[in-house]
Amino acid sequence: MNVDERPFAQRTAEALADAHLRHTLRTVTTAILGYRRAGLGRLPASDGWRDHARRIRAHTLANLDRYLDQFAGAVEARGGHVHYAATAAEAVAYVRDLAIARGVRLAVKGKSMVTEEIDLNGHLERAGIRVVETDLGEYIVQLADDRPSHIVMPIMHMTRHQVADLFKRKIGATEEDVADIASMTQLARRVLREEFVNADMGISGCNFAVAETGSITTCTNEGNGRLTTTMPRIHVAMMGMERIVPTVADLGVMLQVLARSATGQNLTVYTNVVNGPRPREGDRAEGDGPDEFHVVIVDNGRSRVLASGQAEILYCIRCGACLNTCPVFHQIGGHAYGSVYPGPIGSVLTPAMHGMEKFDDLPQASTLCGACRDVCPVRIDIPRMLLELRAKGVAQGKSPLWVTAGIRAFVFAGVRPGLFRTAGALAARASRMLARGGWIRRLPGHLSAWTRSRDFPALAATSFQERWEDAKTAGVRDNRENPAR
């Protein structure tokens, strides 16, 4: 998986220093959350739909082996091919070998998180196969040699002017071509049309696969998804093994909550359902569509997650709502997470899939406010899993020594009331000595990270326990003096 190897603290520091990025994040996510509220408001009994969607995801994952077998059988019955890839390397090898065997020189690609996860583009390019992203945001990311910063909005971190400069440098755009966003979109459309016409292979993602029909569904707001799956002679659909629903009726439920949670739309502009290669003979023969249809079902750590306490994270339908509501994401954006999946969902999914060795910092990137759980269309309890991963990190010795020692000291004192009161009184006195006007401007040692950006309040002179005892004593005295009340 593509990861940013720099320390998490360095990545977040760079993001926090980017005032424009933070302003953009707040502006865009606030607008998107408003669209989400309006979208769900147009859906009668939306909470009921969300509960039903959660039940579908829970049932599907509890019977995942059965539904994957049913799906594979249905695909093959329509003339398609299914390949199970246990690892990223196996998935890449299947697509690369297929492309080489079929003489593919150019592949067009729709938006797909799982291909980002396995770095499919890089591997195909190194094998001499040119890959062109066709989702507008992903196309811009590819031109910039950058990475997506959001699951749904990959160039949230870029300005219009940055894109205009990029188009001038990389595809020879004129001033007229980049006069406004509509002109830039038209330019990209003209360039990409040529790529579609000449492509030998189309590579798509898969929002949902339907077990009973062997169909795959892609949800996009651009026509690129349909062109990718129908124009080239070979279509390869890449899907994470959890992206499946049992029936077409279940697909209808998931579509009701996906777009509303992602962008506030009732449905995405294009909801494509692909049922296999084009029939070439008989009454169902068609002139359009691919000659070959391949589905690559990618595990790459998902089986391990399914057997763990974080299995619920596989309910995710990739709407991005948890990113849009997360106060940490609002400050640091997607790149600071350092992996393909940013935000609260990535803080669980990435370490759950790929271990805590490289990603032990991600579960700490949360205030545990619970906003991600509140907006999730399938009500994934992300805070619970973040706490579990934090505990796992502590058990593996990932917690800084000063934090571990501090927590142990707190636990030791917390079960000894006399020691706790004494320590509290000393801490309150020390904090007041450091404070000016009730606020501490600079804390010592590791605690200084807090006061770099905001002041810390001095501890109260009277503890809560002391005030509670005083209140009780005053209450008893008052009752004695006024027994009739």
Side-chain angles (χ1 to χ4, degrees), residues 284-317:
R284 295 175 55 242
E286 293 183 15
D288 298 323
D291 295 328
E292 295 184 44
F293 175 57
H294 299 255
V295 181
V296 182
I297 300 174
V298 181
D299 185 329
N300 199 30
R302 288 167 173 79
S303 292
R304 187 166 54 250
V305 178
L306 192 60
S308 73
Q310 289 80 52
E312 187 182 347
I313 203 67
L314 297 178
Y315 293 9
C316 177
I317 60 174

Side-chain angles (χ1 to χ4, degrees), residues 152-315:
V152 177
M153 297 168 281
I155 55 168
M156 176 185 276
H157 58 291
M158 296 182 72
T159 67
R160 165 196 156 189
H161 301 292
Q162 288 172 325
V163 175
D165 290 341
L166 182 69
F167 277 10
K168 289 182 193 174
R169 286 188 284 111
K170 293 298 181 87
I171 57 176
T174 64
E175 290 295 338
E176 185 179 359
D177 288 330
V178 297
D180 52 32
I181 293 175
S183 300
M184 288 190 279
T185 304
Q186 288 298 326
L187 172 63
R189 180 176 293 175
R190 290 196 298 274
V191 172
L192 291 175
R193 286 281 170 169
E194 290 298 317
E195 306 288 9
F196 282 119
V197 170
N198 296 311
D200 308 294
M201 175 181 280
I203 302 171
S204 76
C206 171
N207 288 95
F208 300 103
V210 183
E212 69 173 354
T213 61
S215 311
I216 68 149
T217 305
T218 58
C219 303
T220 73
N221 283 316
E222 303 166 27
N224 71 303
R226 190 161 295 175
L227 293 170
T228 299
T229 58
T230 57
M231 286 193 69
R233 55 188 167 89
I234 305 167
H235 173 204
V236 179
M238 307 293 295
M239 62 173 276
M241 62 185 286
E242 80 282 15
R243 310 308 298 275
I244 193 164
V245 293
T247 67
V248 173
D250 295 330
L251 172 63
V253 175
M254 305 315 297
L255 294 178
Q256 285 286 3
V257 298
L258 174 61
R260 295 173 198 273
S261 300
T263 58
Q265 298 166 283
N266 293 351
L267 281 174
T268 50
V269 176
Y270 296 89
T271 301
N272 307 305
V273 180
V274 177
N275 291 312
R278 66 183 174 91
R280 285 175 283 186
E281 299 176 352
D283 296 338
R284 295 175 55 242
E286 293 183 15
D288 298 323
D291 295 328
E292 295 184 44
F293 175 57
H294 299 255
V295 181
V296 182
I297 300 174
V298 181
D299 185 329
N300 199 30
R302 288 167 173 79
S303 292
R304 187 166 54 250
V305 178
L306 192 60
S308 73
Q310 289 80 52
E312 187 182 347
I313 203 67
L314 297 178
Y315 293 9

Side-chain angles (χ1 to χ4, degrees), residues 10 46 51 72 148 175 182 194 220 242 259 270 325 348 370 390 393-394 420 474:
Q10 181 183 344
S46 61
D51 291 338
E175 290 295 338
E194 290 298 317
T220 73
E242 80 282 15
Y270 296 89
T325 197
V348 175
R390 289 183 183 185
V394 171
F420 188 83

